[in-house]
Amino acid sequence: MNRVITIALAGNPNTGKTTIFNSMTGSHQKVGNYAGVTVEKREGRRKYKGYDFHIHDLPGVYSLTAYSMDEVVARDFIINEKPDVVIDVLDSTNIERNLYLCLQFQELNVPIVAALNLNDEAVSRGIQIDEKRLSEILRMPVIKTIGKNGAGVEALLDKAVEVFERKEKPDYEVSYGHELEGDIQVVIASLEKDGAFCARYPVRWCAVKLIEKDARAEELLESHAFADGVKAALKERVRRIEEHFGRDASTVVSEQRYGYIHGATAEAVTRRPVDKQTVTEKIDRVLMDRVLGFPLFLLILWLVFQTTFTLGAYPMGWIEMFFGGLSSVATAFIPEGILRSLVVDGVIAGVGGVSSFIPLIVLLFMFISILEDSGYMSRAAFIMDKFLHIFGLHGQSFLPMIVGVGCSVPAVMAARTLKNARDRIITVMVTPFMSCGAKLPVYVLLAGAFFPRYAGTVVLSMYVVGTLLALFSSLLFRKTVLRGESTPFVMELPPYRLPTVKGILWHVREKTFGYLKKAGLVLLPASMLIWAVTSFPKPALDVPKDVQMAQSYAGKIGKEMAPVLAPIGFDWKIGIAAITGFAAKEMVVSTMGVLYRVEAGPDRKSDSLREALRRDPAFSPLVAYVLMLFMLIVVPCFASLSVIYAEIGWRWLLFAVTYWTALAWLLCFIVFQTGRLLGF
Amino acid sequence: MTILGLKNGEAFIVRRVTISREIGKRLADMGFVRGAKGRIVRSAMLGDPIQVKICEYDVSIRRSEADGIEVEMVEEKK
Ligand SMILES: Nc1nc2c(ncn2[C@@H]2O[C@H](COP(=O)(O)OP(=O)(O)OP(=O)(O)O)[C@@H](O)[C@H]2O)c(=O)[nH]1
Ligand SMILES: [Mg+2]
């Protein structure tokens, strides 16, 4: 039996915790160059030198006075689960602010191993850290690491073992200066009257946190046997501190902590001035320019889409050809009958139709992940903040919204970095308007079929309309159900970093497999189901094909919905296709593939679904556009709904679902009826 | 004088943070404490938010928060 060591990877945001986690455990968790990539705890395992490491990757925090939801997760893990060793990942280029958190870990009396990560960047900026000296001063092991290439990661594990096996408890000594020490001692003395309390919580940490007016420490105090006595002593001391320093006691504690850090680093850190401009500064001169910044941001987004479509067109053509060929082969080899119909009209028409769009989705994800890794995301948030603010959104909401262009699921979770519940709920409710990658196939199919000359513009218009809806919905919520000022916006702007090819490839690979899995597990059986409900009950042989289908189960269900669908211009087939989008957005395409199953023949062209749609009298450019709008606005897929439920609870989910549905129907109604009046 | 009184490129030393407890504490945690050195880097299109270099990193804050950070201007040797 190996011995188990529980490790927490903790530290400030964006210091490389997940990078180190991936390197330790061989996993591929999301890494990105902005604060707040990791929003929930992740566990990974590693066997090393006869030990079983249980490694937990935590969201980044600036202080143990937690602020937003993701930060609470990290703090509570350290305090409640008491990991055997905390590996504190520090950003070496910004050692002071990073040690600020480290000192708070020391006060908790957890054994620490400090990783001086991003060492390569520190070196290039002329920052030299004497890790031996630092280790002596701070009484903890300090290891230089470069998360990106794994340098120093094994050494971290070695040190963790050493610290774990050491019998005596760590004896850290965080000094707040003699002016504050007396007050801390008085509060400690009053806390120590309850032995049980002191056994449970590190008493010095409690005392300091109470002087810092930390809400969580005040909560803990409620379980203290002599809480009133402690409170009285505390009040007295806080009054004295504030009188003496002339400032809020909580700021005094921060100042003293930084003071201690300056003392420690003065000895161990030397800075060789590098007076040339850093690369980041040079890039920012252009990208963050007051005037150019915004147009450049739009240009970047436009380039992303443009490249996605241009590059994606090639593999899309190949996949279409492949399935076209497959369908001919199947027709040639399977005798006429139910089986052939199932394979050709159900499986190939459904899954084949949607598979050709995989390259688009994958490319879109690739570009988003390049943006995330480069460090541009927080710049974009900086540029857009004022604008978003006007609509009652938070600058921080911008990151989830961009992530939402890829997929709503991670986007909704990314909203956790918003501190205020109102901001978070609003962000979660408007993120689905950002047209996730799965809606792209629907747009591309319809735009390609009905607006062949302006397909690109029409697809782009969906993104524009979506963004406008997100902004105005947020303003509406802010003015009605979720009133209140939006909260302050303080966000770190990390240096630009070159996205790693390895990281991007992993991401792309993961997405591709994800979609193949979805195609196999969801779209394949669903296509077969759609095939079944449109093929049965078995029609009489002498009726024409389109009438046959109208008499099937699907046709009957569709007709029941006619009163709702007719006003927005949908016939029963379009209605059924739109509804299947609840399972997954791409399913609209595969369902249409099945519904518009075309006679497969040797002369069958690869763009037959497009042609079939064009041939259907129920469709027109107007109907196609309305359908795109409907898909944009209506309730997101099941997977998103379940995370949205987890993030905002069922009341808000119910509200959101009603809002999305009503808005979708109303807008489609207006557009369709006006369009018809205008003669489209 | 607060950060708002400074122009782009000007350097400062923090005197104290005067805004309310929670965000004030957050700023203090992030390094805006008495004596910390910083510099205004730039502001966004409509003058809000502002990019500030504090300690050794860059942070974006809104004007409303910047107004709560009292500073003293310092001449920076270039
Ligand atoms: N140059 C360099 N870059 C690194 C190093 N370690 C990590 N990075 C990069 O730093 C960025 C942040 O890495 P993450 O691992 O996502 O950081 P994190 O601490 O998990 O961030 P949060 O989850 O947001 O708290 C990414 O762009 C990494 O590629 C390093 O040692 N050197
Ligand atoms: Mg992370």
Side-chain angles (χ1 to χ4, degrees):
Chain A
M1 230 352 236
N2 284 342
R3 293 188 61 193
V4 173
I5 306 184
T6 323
I7 303 264
L9 277 168
N12 280 184
N14 207 37
T15 56
K17 297 175 294 299
T18 305
T19 311
I20 290 183
F21 174 81
N22 286 344
S23 163
M24 280 177 172
T25 61
S27 30
H28 297 275
Q29 293 298 336
K30 184 89 196 73
V31 166
N33 189 15
Y34 58 91
V37 177
T38 309
V39 291
E40 33 166 37
K41 181 169 74 76
R42 281 283 152 75
E43 194 188 333
R45 303 262 161 117
R46 166 78 181 261
K47 280 197 196 319
Y48 183 75
K49 294 196 175 161
Y51 292 91
D52 272 346
F53 282 86
H54 292 193
I55 304 168
H56 299 261
D57 181 26
L58 301 177
V61 292
Y62 288 110
S63 165
L64 283 180
T65 308
Y67 194 71
S68 53
M69 231 168 111
D70 53 328
E71 294 187 344
V72 173
V73 172
R75 185 198 57 191
D76 286 357
F77 182 79
I78 306 264
I79 296 176
N80 300 339
E81 314 275 316
K82 300 205 171 70
D84 295 319
V85 180
V86 170
I87 295 186
D88 186 353
V89 181
L90 307 163
D91 176 351
S92 318
T93 64
N94 188 10
I95 184 91
E96 267 113 17
R97 196 201 65 205
N98 279 264
L99 282 175
Y100 185 86
L101 176 71
C102 188
L103 294 190
Q104 298 181 57
F105 287 145
Q106 292 201 341
E107 267 163 1
L108 280 176
N109 252 332
V110 286
I112 305 169
V113 174
L116 286 177
N117 195 38
L118 294 148
N119 187 46
D120 50 334
E121 287 189 4
V123 169
S124 71
R125 283 204 222 170
I127 300 170
Q128 280 164 330
I129 304 176
D130 180 348
E131 77 260 46
K132 287 217 182 63
R133 191 77 198 94
L134 196 65
S135 160
E136 280 161 24
I137 300 170
L138 296 173
R139 303 185 182 194
M140 62 184 184
V142 177
I143 309 270
K144 284 186 178 168
T145 59
I146 300 173
K148 257 189 182 168
N149 61 22
V153 169
E154 305 255 285
L156 281 177
L157 293 178
D158 289 332
K159 275 291 170 208
V161 171
E162 206 181 298
V163 167
F164 177 73
E165 293 296 353
R166 203 181 285 158
K167 289 292 163 292
E168 67 273 23
K169 282 215 132 202
D171 60 338
Y172 305 121
E173 201 180 75
V174 181
S175 146
Y176 285 87
H178 62 273
E179 282 176 299
L180 220 51
E181 195 54 44
D183 304 292
I184 296 174
Q185 288 307 330
V186 171
V187 179
I188 289 179
S190 74
L191 280 171
E192 272 172 346
K193 293 202 179 96
D194 182 349
F197 184 90
C198 293
R200 225 162 350 158
Y201 307 109
V203 66
R204 187 177 167 90
W205 175 77
C206 274
V208 174
K209 279 288 152 194
L210 285 170
I211 295 175
E212 257 183 300
K213 305 179 186 172
D214 179 70
R216 159 86 190 189
E218 281 163 12
E219 254 168 54
L220 290 185
L221 190 57
E222 294 308 320
S223 72
H224 194 278
F226 309 99
D228 289 337
V230 178
K231 275 183 205 161
L234 183 67
K235 203 170 159 204
E236 218 286 300
R237 286 291 122 182
V238 167
R239 200 191 42 88
R240 192 207 73 83
I241 295 169
E242 298 189 340
E243 227 161 61
H244 180 81
F245 287 89
R247 286 188 293 284
D248 192 79
S250 73
T251 14
V252 173
V253 174
S254 299
E255 279 173 21
Q256 297 299 105
R257 215 177 266 146
Y258 269 109
Y260 176 70
I261 293 169
H262 285 306
T265 52
E267 278 185 59
V269 182
T270 48
R271 292 182 177 81
R272 187 165 40 79
V274 244
D275 42 21
K276 68 170 198 308
Q277 260 190 344
T278 63
V279 178
T280 296
E281 278 164 353
K282 280 184 197 151
I283 299 176
D284 272 346
R285 283 227 149 160
V286 182
L287 288 185
M288 293 272 276
D289 186 84
R290 254 180 110 121
V291 182
L292 287 180
F294 185 63
L296 280 175
F297 165 66
L298 294 182
L299 182 72
I300 289 173
L301 288 190
W302 183 81
L303 275 178
V304 165
F305 281 104
Q306 205 55 34
T307 328
T308 302
F309 289 121
T310 335
L311 282 184
Y314 301 101
M316 271 177 79
W318 304 332
I319 297 175
E320 277 176 9
M321 240 154 62
F322 170 76
F323 278 99
L326 201 63
S327 149
S328 311
V329 170
T331 316
F333 283 90
I334 309 174
E336 171 96 54
I338 292 227
L339 184 64
R340 189 211 274 181
S341 170
L342 173 65
V343 172
V344 176
D345 301 335
V347 175
I348 298 180
V351 177
V354 79
S355 300
S356 60
F357 291 99
I358 290 179
L360 280 192
I361 300 176
V362 168
L363 278 171
L364 188 64
F365 265 110
M366 186 181 92
F367 287 117
I368 292 175
S369 96
I370 291 178
L371 281 185
E372 287 180 344
D373 286 358
S374 66
Y376 185 66
M377 292 290 265
S378 43
R379 264 85 187 171
F382 177 82
I383 292 166
M384 298 295 290
D385 175 63
K386 184 74 193 177
F387 183 66
L388 294 174
H389 199 54
I390 298 172
F391 290 94
L393 273 171
H394 197 271
Q396 192 86 46
S397 311
F398 191 71
L399 300 169
M401 285 169 76
I402 290 271
V403 174
V405 176
C407 175
S408 300
V409 172
V412 163
M413 289 178 48
R416 286 192 192 169
T417 51
L418 286 151
K419 180 194 151 25
N420 182 289
R422 272 193 312 265
D423 293 339
R424 205 168 59 237
I425 294 170
I426 291 181
T427 309
V428 167
M429 290 199 297
V430 304
T431 304
F433 289 144
M434 299 310 291
S435 286
C436 70
K439 291 180 186 172
L440 193 59
V442 186
Y443 300 160
V444 174
L445 173 69
L446 291 168
F450 293 95
F451 305 91
R453 298 187 51 194
Y454 311 103
T457 319
V458 169
V459 173
L460 195 66
S461 79
M462 281 298 123
Y463 286 88
V464 175
V465 172
T467 312
L468 291 177
L469 284 175
L471 292 176
F472 284 103
S473 301
S474 138
L475 192 63
L476 180 74
F477 297 147
R478 193 54 90 188
K479 290 266 179 275
T480 54
V481 284
L482 286 157
R483 243 179 274 221
E485 264 306 288
S486 93
T487 40
F489 172 58
V490 178
M491 178 189 65
E492 199 178 335
L493 298 163
Y496 288 107
R497 292 187 175 122
L498 212 57
T500 59
V501 177
K502 207 171 103 197
I504 305 274
L505 284 185
W506 255 101
H507 198 63
V508 167
R509 207 183 106 140
E510 187 194 22
K511 287 293 161 201
T512 315
F513 280 131
Y515 273 91
L516 289 178
K517 220 168 92 188
K518 198 160 156 192
L521 293 180
V522 181
L523 302 178
L524 177 66
S527 295
M528 287 162 86
L529 182 74
I530 299 286
W531 170 83
V533 294
T534 55
S535 300
F536 296 100
K538 233 176 147 20
L541 281 173
D542 49 349
V543 274
K545 206 162 180 175
D546 48 333
V547 182
Q548 281 182 14
M549 206 183 266
Q551 288 171 348
S552 67
Y553 293 118
K556 287 189 187 121
I557 300 169
K559 280 194 202 89
E560 295 295 318
M561 303 186 305
V564 201
L565 297 177
I568 55 175
F570 295 180
D571 78 340
W572 69 270
K573 282 187 197 160
I574 305 178
I576 296 259
I579 287 181
T580 56
F582 293 124
K585 296 292 158 187
E586 315 89 318
M587 236 194 103
V588 176
V589 174
S590 59
T591 305
M592 284 187 167
V594 179
L595 288 175
Y596 290 84
R597 60 179 80 142
V598 222
E599 289 289 77
D603 59 330
R604 182 180 169 170
K605 287 229 285 294
S606 54
D607 57 354
S608 55
L609 179 53
R610 247 166 282 166
E611 306 250 283
L613 291 177
R614 243 176 295 184
R615 251 182 277 128
D616 183 357
F619 256 117
S620 68
L622 176 63
V623 172
Y625 198 79
V626 171
L627 177 57
M628 286 163 78
L629 265 185
F630 188 79
M631 293 319 298
L632 161 66
I633 310 168
V634 87
V635 183
C637 69
F638 274 139
S640 315
L641 285 182
S642 62
V643 268
I644 293 174
Y645 162 74
E647 295 301 312
I648 64 178
W650 66 269
R651 281 160 188 276
W652 282 111
L653 177 69
L654 219 60
F655 172 82
V657 167
T658 319
Y659 177 77
W660 292 321
T661 318
L663 185 68
W665 195 87
L666 258 175
L667 259 180
C668 287
F669 177 76
I670 294 170
V671 172
F672 178 67
Q673 297 298 343
T674 333
R676 227 175 34 163
L677 281 180
L678 295 176
F680 284 107
Chain B
M1 148 151 125
T2 71
I3 285 189
L4 289 187
L6 297 173
K7 288 199 277 296
N8 289 352
E10 286 180 337
F12 60 80
I13 289 184
V14 177
R15 300 197 114 254
R16 63 190 196 131
V17 176
T18 53
I19 27 177
S20 74
R21 227 170 89 178
E22 209 168 40
I23 179 66
K25 179 67 180 165
R26 173 68 160 202
L27 288 170
D29 285 343
M30 290 183 77
F32 287 89
V33 290
R34 188 186 181 82
K37 294 193 190 95
R39 188 164 58 81
I40 314 288
V41 181
R42 63 168 58 80
S43 53
M45 200 157 40
L46 299 163
D48 196 17
I50 303 172
Q51 179 183 348
V52 176
K53 197 170 203 74
I54 184 84
C55 304
E56 303 196 43
Y57 73 100
D58 288 276
V59 67
S60 153
I61 51 176
R62 284 205 184 126
R63 290 181 75 86
S64 45
E65 284 94 66
D67 201 26
I69 305 172
E70 271 182 25
V71 296
E72 194 176 302
M73 197 175 124
V74 291
E75 292 297 324
E76 215 182 17
K77 319 180 267 299
K78 271 268 154 136

